[in-house]
Amino acid sequence: MISYGKHSVNQQDIQAVVDVLENQFLTQGSQVPAFEKALCDYTGAAFCTAVNSGTSGLHVACLALGIGKGDIVWTSPNSFAASANCALYCGASVSFVDIDPSTRNMSVELFLLKLEDARRSNTLPKALVVVHFAGSSCEMETIRHQCKLHDIAIIEDAAHALGAQYNGKPVGGCEFSDLAVLSFHPVKSITTAEGGAVTTNNPDLAQQVLLYAKHGITRDNTLMQGDADGPWYYQQLCLGYNYRMSDIQAALGISQLARLDEFIVKRRHLVARYLKLLQDLPVRLPLAADLNTSSWHLFMIELTEHERAAVYQQLHEKDIAVNVHYIPIHFHPYYQSLGFKQGEYPNAEQFYYHALTLPLYVDLTDEQQDYVVSVLHDILS
Ligand SMILES: *Cc1c(COP(=O)(O)O)cnc(C)c1O
């Protein structure tokens, strides 16, 4: 079976994990800070906190911004539910900005219209969670400019986008955002099994992220109320969580991060081949303009003449485990119970009805890809 996405773990990755198990602290050792430093070096961000998942990262990013009851957060409906759930965890409410059908990212045009409405009705969001769908960056410069005018914070959900560039710089460097959140789930750019990280250039936000990810507890004297009783002392300053990453995971992350550039080269190689080999089929392809800037977490085609369910089924019968990204967040029964309706975000819905995610991962060979392409040709032409 050829899956849609898969991790690539080599002997060097395995050795890094074994070394921690044999010789080091399993958690709260030296590997987590080393991984955080490597992520800062890679992205250009000043601060990084590793956490136990991208979802935890989104949660603490919202908490660090002070998002709570009565606040509104906007995100894209074409994403994994975690992009919106993070706001709900904090007691805030969520609204969506529909996507641009060509980029499949939040539409800047619709964002501006929604901002205008929200300004008039006094329902401006406190924060925007922008999702760099499939690894192609949103139009951050314009979005940042508009958010500054309206005092709206920006969290980048960069779960797909480690290894991508925007304006010639790595995504995750937070040049046009307050915080960025990465995920290291096995299908993402690099893996730590489960894991995530939050980057920022703002020292106050970095401190809040750290606090919320570690029980709300600090050992830093300068943050304590009153004097420390002694060198053993710590204080809990807020209600935080245990979202720590283990050193076993961080060691894997360090080893994987060293391979990231090579991973991205491979993904771009495969995407260039797909773009060429599928160009005559009745499908809509992702933007070729993103070839050398996207991290290509996913490769989606949109069927223009065929029924998606049938094509999905036929590919599975040929051992090609294509997938579908994403069921719009507002389609989920939980979100429907909050009052969202089908039909509210037509671009994301149309994309969902026609989209098919083709196999794309580092260890996919050209021969396997050729097989996928030939099966697709048989089905579609
Ligand atoms: C994977 C993903 C997340 C969540 O990351 P986890 O590490 O699985 O918790 C959040 N947002 C998007 C867009 C994702 O694809």
Side-chain angles (χ1 to χ4, degrees):
M1 204 77 174
I2 300 176
S3 67
Y4 81 94
K6 197 171 148 197
H7 60 272
S8 169
V9 167
N10 70 8
Q11 207 49 46
Q12 166 199 317
D13 296 326
I14 293 166
Q15 211 41 58
V17 170
V18 169
D19 182 58
V20 173
L21 288 169
E22 287 185 338
N23 304 310
Q24 302 191 40
F25 290 112
L26 302 188
T27 189
Q28 295 174 279
S30 63
Q31 296 296 309
V32 170
F35 184 37
E36 292 169 339
K37 166 138 198 333
L39 286 167
C40 284
D41 291 346
Y42 190 92
T43 59
F47 305 96
C48 175
T49 300
V51 287
N52 60 3
S53 74
T55 302
S56 309
L58 287 165
H59 186 192
V60 291
C62 287
L63 290 169
L65 288 169
I67 289 166
K69 226 180 156 67
D71 293 327
I72 301 169
V73 173
W74 291 358
T75 188
S76 167
N78 181 34
S79 187
F80 183 58
S83 306
N85 288 346
C86 57
L88 303 182
Y89 293 158
C90 302
S93 64
V94 168
S95 187
F96 298 97
V97 183
D98 206 355
I99 62 168
D100 175 331
S102 63
T103 63
R104 303 151 176 188
N105 275 329
M106 192 186 85
S107 157
V108 173
E109 199 178 316
L110 295 175
F111 172 59
L112 296 180
L113 288 172
K114 193 173 168 96
L115 266 183
E116 196 47 40
D117 277 352
R119 198 180 53 76
R120 281 206 213 96
S121 58
N122 219 3
T123 53
L124 282 167
K126 179 155 178 152
L128 189 62
V129 176
V130 296
V131 182
H132 304 307
F133 182 69
S136 296
S137 177
C138 296
E139 220 6 274
M140 292 308 296
E141 210 165 344
T142 315
I143 294 170
R144 182 58 152 182
H145 176 71
Q146 289 299 323
C147 283
K148 280 238 161 97
L149 293 178
H150 296 90
D151 199 23
I152 301 166
I154 300 180
I155 299 170
E156 292 176 78
D157 180 341
H160 297 182
L162 180 62
Q165 285 90 37
Y166 174 72
N167 268 4
K169 293 192 186 146
V171 171
C174 301
E175 187 180 357
F176 300 102
S177 68
D178 296 283
L179 303 128
V181 178
L182 305 168
S183 165
F184 311 123
H185 179 279
V187 295
K188 308 289 166 75
S189 304
I190 63 168
T191 192
T192 61
E194 296 282 357
V198 184
T199 58
T200 181
N201 293 318
N202 179 322
D204 298 327
L205 288 176
Q207 193 179 80
Q208 291 299 306
V209 165
L210 195 66
L211 208 54
Y212 278 112
K214 297 178 184 180
H215 307 279
I217 284 174
T218 187
R219 291 180 175 275
D220 181 345
N221 278 348
T222 64
L223 300 180
M224 288 184 191
Q225 296 185 12
D227 292 328
D229 281 357
W232 62 85
Y233 207 58
Y234 59 83
Q235 283 183 344
Q236 183 183 340
L237 303 178
C238 62
L239 188 60
Y241 299 82
N242 180 359
Y243 283 166
R244 275 195 303 264
M245 174 180 278
S246 76
D247 282 58
I248 302 169
Q249 293 168 295
L252 179 56
I254 293 167
S255 183
Q256 287 264 302
L257 188 58
R259 302 175 61 204
L260 175 59
D261 286 340
E262 188 191 307
F263 287 175
I264 299 295
V265 166
K266 181 64 193 287
R267 285 180 179 274
R268 288 177 183 164
H269 162 79
L270 291 168
V271 168
R273 293 186 90 243
Y274 268 143
L275 291 174
K276 184 158 148 273
L277 298 170
L278 301 176
Q279 62 185 350
D280 296 331
L281 290 179
V283 298
R284 192 207 282 233
L285 297 169
L287 292 177
D290 290 342
L291 181 60
N292 294 312
T293 52
S294 176
S295 54
W296 294 105
H297 163 52
L298 300 168
F299 185 90
M300 282 95 166
I301 56 173
E302 283 165 85
L303 302 171
T304 50
E305 288 172 17
H306 296 73
E307 206 229 331
R308 196 259 314 275
V311 176
Y312 177 98
Q313 188 58 35
Q314 285 171 288
L315 284 160
H316 274 252
E317 279 161 17
K318 298 280 185 187
D319 289 335
I320 301 168
V322 290
N323 207 334
V324 172
H325 296 87
Y326 280 101
I327 301 157
I329 297 174
H330 66 289
F331 275 21
H332 292 296
Y334 180 72
Y335 279 84
Q336 300 261 309
S337 80
L338 300 178
F340 292 97
K341 302 264 180 299
Q342 301 210 0
E344 269 186 274
Y345 303 101
N347 298 345
E349 296 173 17
Q350 282 307 309
F351 178 67
Y352 165 61
Y353 292 136
H354 299 284
L356 207 51
T357 305
L358 301 188
L360 176 64
Y361 49 89
V362 172
D363 294 334
L364 184 75
T365 64
D366 286 7
E367 292 69 33
Q368 286 173 312
Q369 188 185 30
D370 287 340
Y371 171 69
V372 173
V373 167
S374 81
V375 173
L376 264 175
H377 271 271
D378 289 346
I379 296 171
L380 300 179
S381 40

